[in-house]
Amino acid sequence: MDQGARGTVADRLDDTIRQHYVIERELGRGGMAVVFLAHDLRHDRPVALKVLHSELASTLGPERFQREIRLAARLQHPHIVPVFDSGGSGSVLWYTMPYVAGHSLSARLGTGELLSIAEAMRILRDLAGALAHAHAQGVIHRDVKPGNVLISDGHALVMDFGIAKVISDAADPELTQPGVAVGTPAYMAPEQAGADPDVDHRADIYALGALGYALLTGEPPFRGTPSELMVAHTIRNPEPVDRRRPEVPPALAQLVMTCLQKEPSQRWQSAKEVRAQLDELMGFGTQPSTPGAGLAPAGFATALEAGRTAFERYDWAAAFEHLTAAGELEPGDLARLAEAAWWLGRGNECMRTRERAYAAYVRQGDAQGAAAIAIAVAEDYWHWLAISVGRGWLRRAERHLAGLPESREHGWLVRLQASLAMELERDLARALELTERAAAIAERVGDADLGTLSLQDRGRILLARGEIGQGMALIDDAMAAAVAGDLKPRTTGRVYCNMMTACDQIGDYRRAAEWHDAASQWGEPHSDSPYPGICRVHRAELLRLRGDLPDAEAEARRAAEELGDHLPAIAGEAYYEMGEVRLRLGDFERADALFRDAHLRGRHPLPGLALLRLEQGQTAAARHLIDRALEDAAIPHYQRARLLPARVEISLASNAVAAARAAAEELETIAKRYDSAAMHAAALTAFGMVELAEGKPDAAAANLRRAHRLWLDIELPYEAARSRVLLARAYEALGHQEEAALELDAASVAFERLGARAELAKLGGLRQAS
């Protein structure tokens, strides 16, 4: 852009915001924006004011730009330059940030003078902390590079969070230039270079590695033209850091090279994890090191000792790092390494390491140790939905334990057999027999974790048999032991997940919320493990049911990212939850895609998909889906209770009133069996709908009033609002127009607050018809 064009930008912007800012001078320009030093008149302070190039601003549009800027403005972190203000329209979009005295990291690297290792580590640690905070808020940078990092008083501050993302999402292909849309080639993750539409936070971790490489060696991993760089990031491996600069400690070099793995699943999986590693290295990673040194903190003789100690205090990242560095491991240490990998979400590494531990135990002739690993591997394969493979490993465990004296491994084997009978074979009588046998073994060998899980398993089986009170009492007992800290972390996580699932089955959302709050402190030390992802799925459902759709979607999205391929079945639940949110928001196209994603991961997308087809006017398809699902007589009652309200609604849309009444009566029977407030409310709502179709508005109004009170009592506002709409129809049929108008007004306010656009649209049509 020439000097004349530069003046035009400043003049045009000055016309837009002259009341609030005075432009003093241009600070710089790039492919994305021109940056000015300006004075903020309202707050009497200097600011850096960025103005997007006009062609880019026109492509983005102010609405999309402002939405992403609001997300970026939520970030408050000592190593993130915050967004102060933003605005614009048409071809002028702008935002302001603090004017930070200092220089860019690009300028520092451009001097050609190598940073000290201590300085490089400090900057890298600052950046990892900034990324960890942003990722926790759901904001991805997508253009981490030296030019977006300021150095002030020796500390690093990251600029432009979220800006690269909005540009890459909206830019025309012709605008996609280095530094504008999808990142800067020298620091670009392979998935960005390949224009992968599903780029996630791990692209930032790759860029962090590329930046760390430059901090330590003076140059980014590759050099060349933009197209050559994109190819290099996709297919070439950079020369190892410690080969370029031998004095870099091996642990630090390995940290950077792990960030630079081509496959996202092989990198560090969170910036928080990188920050934790750097925290540990900062005290001893500044001096030249020999291979294997610099890994054990002061006070430990070896990395192996440090790894074992970290494992005992549940410091999974440190345990993984130290045990990996310790070299050849005994089978027990391989088992520890595998467990640490599991907690860090490294499913493939966990499985490979467990199989190595199994082979080592077999070579040593340790049948009990081999059985323990085989049981763990069997369970892992079941979580991956590889049921036959899991059965094969279970049979290995059975062979190893045959003839051995009773041990805790016998109890865990029996417990896994009970889970198989309960969850896969649906043989509750056999499951109960095996569970009681596992509990007896736990008592004899003194295994509190096995005993607690067996207690809870018994409660789950009683629940499935319809013995709700006794079953939930046992589940509560197990949760009390879990939140008291009496159990190992993996057991606590299992108990929590089983409890949330049980509450979900019977619609006891109040109990679920109470236990969720009680267990939240337990999850904090394990925030990088799969369990927070699992917890997030449950929390997403609670938030959706309570009417907080944006937060529900954010939680489900984070869960899907955290679980990935590690626990695909639960990731499928996360995608299903996002689909339910999009359905309520009236975004039918996105809901359809998310329900399909859920199905790919093993989560049958009902009732959501059937209700979506109904909203799309595909009534026959909706009825086929819901009827096929309910044909299976082996479906547990609580699962049928989730599907039956949809059958009522879809049957009535098909003018099949008799089928709708049969579904409502079945739902009522299940509600009485489980004595669940949510099921009772659903049954009353279903009868109200049927009675409206049968021309019985008096009976419908009575049932719908009771349903509405119940929905309010259990704090499910979306369902409560829907019951108000139905109640308004009953009042209209009775000629009570004023009462009907009151109910419609109240429903409208509720749907507006919830953002339920699909229901608002139907409500508008109903008002026009009346």
Side-chain angles (χ1 to χ4, degrees):
M1 190 180 293
D2 60 24
Q3 183 64 41
R6 180 183 302 140
T8 301
V9 171
D11 291 343
R12 188 166 68 246
L13 181 64
D14 189 49
D15 289 337
T16 306
I17 59 169
R18 69 173 69 246
Q19 313 90 299
H20 302 307
Y21 298 94
V22 173
I23 295 177
E24 297 183 357
R25 59 185 171 89
E26 182 180 313
L27 294 174
R29 60 184 50 243
M32 180 176 88
V34 182
V35 188
F36 298 99
L37 172 63
H39 188 76
D40 181 350
L41 297 173
R42 286 174 295 181
H43 304 98
D44 191 25
R45 61 186 176 186
V47 295
L49 189 148
K50 282 198 170 187
V51 188
L52 298 190
H53 293 321
S54 58
E55 64 273 22
L56 194 55
S58 298
T59 304
L60 284 173
E63 183 179 348
R64 170 77 169 140
F65 176 72
Q66 290 295 341
R67 187 163 64 247
E68 294 299 333
I69 284 288
R70 282 195 296 272
L71 290 176
R74 296 189 320 192
L75 303 180
Q76 299 294 323
H77 188 272
H79 297 294
I80 294 176
V81 180
V83 172
F84 275 166
D85 193 9
S86 63
S89 60
S91 62
V92 179
L93 297 176
W94 55 270
Y95 60 101
T96 63
M97 306 175 296
Y99 173 67
V100 180
H103 56 273
S104 73
L105 182 57
S106 180
R108 174 65 181 85
L109 293 173
T111 65
E113 179 184 351
L114 276 179
L115 281 73
S116 70
I117 293 175
E119 185 180 4
M121 291 177 71
R122 185 170 63 249
I123 291 172
L124 198 59
R125 179 178 179 273
D126 290 347
L127 300 178
L131 290 173
H133 174 76
H135 294 167
Q137 302 300 314
V139 180
I140 306 170
H141 196 295
R142 294 200 189 186
D143 196 16
V144 178
K145 62 180 180 180
N148 278 333
V149 177
L150 291 175
I151 304 298
S152 179
D153 295 327
H155 289 284
L157 298 96
V158 189
M159 300 185 295
D160 289 349
F161 264 103
I163 310 306
K165 177 184 184 297
V166 62
I167 291 170
S168 68
D169 284 351
D172 186 277
E174 295 180 0
L175 298 175
T176 308
Q177 300 295 331
V180 178
V182 295
T184 300
Y187 300 89
M188 185 183 294
E191 58 267 31
Q192 286 179 284
D196 187 338
D198 296 322
V199 170
D200 62 19
H201 68 283
R202 292 172 295 184
D204 282 353
I205 293 173
Y206 184 94
L208 181 66
L211 204 150
Y213 194 102
L215 288 169
L216 293 168
T217 70
E219 295 181 346
F222 306 109
R223 285 191 171 277
T225 65
S227 58
E228 289 171 343
L229 286 169
M230 290 185 184
V231 172
H233 282 296
T234 304
I235 65 174
R236 286 175 53 198
N237 291 318
E239 185 179 2
V241 170
D242 46 1
R243 190 178 302 167
R244 293 281 299 273
R245 189 176 179 183
E247 68 267 27
V248 175
L252 178 59
Q254 184 59 45
L255 180 147
V256 170
M257 298 305 289
T258 301
C259 290
L260 289 170
Q261 292 294 308
K262 305 294 183 195
E263 183 62 39
S265 64
Q266 299 302 312
R267 298 172 201 153
W268 301 106
Q269 295 300 289
S270 72
K272 183 177 179 181
E273 191 177 1
V274 177
R275 168 66 184 265
Q277 295 298 310
L278 288 163
D279 282 345
E280 190 168 339
L281 289 169
M282 287 290 281
F284 49 84
T286 59
Q287 300 298 325
S289 177
T290 56
L295 287 167
F300 291 101
T302 66
L304 179 60
E305 183 183 351
R308 288 172 175 172
T309 301
F311 184 88
E312 290 303 316
R313 65 173 186 267
Y314 309 134
D315 186 347
W316 310 115
F320 183 87
E321 181 72 14
H322 296 317
L323 291 172
T324 299
E328 198 67 30
L329 296 175
E330 292 295 315
D333 291 314
L334 285 170
R336 293 184 180 92
L337 178 60
E339 183 72 4
W342 188 93
W343 279 100
L344 295 174
R346 299 180 172 202
N348 290 326
E349 288 180 70
C350 169
M351 186 65 75
R352 289 195 300 268
T353 307
R354 278 195 174 133
E355 290 175 348
R356 286 170 57 203
Y358 173 80
Y361 275 125
V362 171
R363 283 195 301 272
Q364 289 184 359
D366 185 343
Q368 190 170 321
I373 298 296
I375 292 167
V377 173
E379 191 167 17
D380 284 341
Y381 273 117
W382 284 346
H383 288 155
W384 283 358
L385 306 180
I387 307 301
S388 297
V389 180
R391 288 180 189 271
W393 279 94
L394 187 61
R395 285 191 290 271
R396 283 187 175 188
E398 291 169 348
R399 289 196 296 270
H400 287 304
L401 291 175
L404 293 182
E406 185 176 79
S407 65
R408 63 185 303 276
E409 283 73 27
H410 286 85
W412 285 100
L413 172 64
V414 173
R415 194 256 163 183
L416 199 54
Q417 291 169 333
S419 297
L420 179 66
M422 176 171 53
E423 296 172 7
L424 298 180
E425 298 168 356
R426 297 178 182 172
D427 187 342
L428 297 183
R430 175 170 165 74
L432 185 58
E433 175 193 345
L434 290 168
T435 294
E436 290 173 347
R437 192 190 309 172
I441 296 173
E443 185 173 359
R444 287 194 293 268
V445 301
D447 191 328
D449 291 76
L450 176 61
T452 301
L453 274 175
S454 298
L455 175 73
Q456 189 184 58
D457 288 343
R458 189 167 188 273
R460 294 165 64 205
I461 294 166
L462 293 176
L463 199 68
R465 287 171 31 167
E467 300 174 41
I468 311 303
Q470 189 177 355
M472 289 308 299
L474 295 176
I475 289 170
D476 285 343
D477 285 349
M479 270 303 295
V483 299
D486 298 339
L487 308 173
K488 293 177 181 177
R490 180 82 83 99
T491 308
T492 299
R494 286 169 167 166
V495 169
Y496 170 82
C497 293
N498 290 338
M499 177 278 302
M500 291 293 287
T501 300
C503 290
D504 186 45
Q505 288 169 355
I506 65 172
D508 195 342
Y509 301 114
R510 179 170 293 152
R511 179 188 251 122
E514 290 172 356
W515 276 124
H516 180 86
D517 292 342
S520 60
Q521 289 186 341
W522 166 82
E524 290 175 3
H526 310 289
S527 59
D528 282 329
S529 77
Y531 273 124
I534 298 169
C535 298
R536 258 187 262 283
V537 174
H538 292 302
R539 176 170 164 74
E541 183 183 23
L542 283 174
L543 288 168
R544 172 176 64 81
L545 291 169
R546 295 286 173 87
D548 192 343
L549 300 184
D551 282 353
E553 185 172 40
E555 285 289 275
R557 184 182 296 110
R558 287 185 64 192
E561 291 172 355
E562 290 169 355
L563 295 168
D565 296 327
H566 187 48
L567 294 173
I570 303 172
E573 291 287 347
Y575 280 99
Y576 180 82
E577 280 303 316
M578 286 189 281
E580 283 277 14
V581 169
R582 284 287 125 190
L583 176 59
R584 293 188 178 193
L585 291 174
D587 185 353
F588 297 153
E589 182 177 352
R590 184 66 181 140
D592 197 319
L594 288 163
F595 286 141
R596 290 178 184 277
D597 284 338
H599 189 258
L600 286 173
R601 289 162 177 82
R603 204 295 189 188
H604 203 326
L606 293 178
L609 183 60
L611 292 172
L612 172 63
R613 293 290 177 262
L614 183 63
E615 293 285 355
Q616 293 171 324
Q618 301 176 36
T619 308
R623 187 170 185 187
H624 177 75
L625 282 168
I626 204 71
D627 287 351
R628 282 287 301 275
L630 285 164
E631 281 176 2
D632 185 357
I635 294 177
H637 287 100
Y638 59 80
Q639 288 186 15
R640 295 186 70 82
R642 286 193 155 224
L643 298 173
L644 287 167
R647 174 178 258 181
V648 171
E649 190 170 352
I650 293 166
S651 296
L652 290 173
S654 307
N655 294 317
V657 179
R661 173 164 282 282
E665 290 170 350
E666 183 182 356
L667 182 56
E668 182 185 40
T669 300
I670 296 172
K672 288 178 179 177
R673 178 178 183 182
Y674 283 88
D675 195 22
S676 159
M679 290 183 189
H680 281 303
L684 287 166
T685 303
F687 275 117
M689 295 174 71
V690 170
E691 286 154 352
L692 280 172
E694 292 174 337
K696 303 173 183 176
D698 272 327
N703 279 322
L704 290 167
R705 281 193 294 267
R706 291 172 59 201
H708 179 251
R709 286 194 296 270
L710 274 176
W711 290 129
L712 289 179
D713 186 53
I714 58 179
E715 300 177 41
L716 300 188
Y718 178 83
E719 306 298 343
R722 292 193 77 206
S723 67
R724 281 189 181 276
V725 175
L726 294 168
L727 187 55
R729 287 176 53 195
Y731 284 148
E732 284 184 349
L734 291 167
H736 302 161
Q737 299 304 324
E738 186 171 349
E739 288 94 333
L742 288 172
E743 295 299 337
L744 288 178
D745 287 344
S748 180
V749 170
F751 288 139
E752 185 74 40
R753 185 171 58 249
L754 295 169
R757 291 189 289 271
E759 296 298 334
L760 280 171
K762 287 189 287 186
L763 196 58
L766 183 62
R767 280 177 156 160
Q768 288 177 1
S770 60

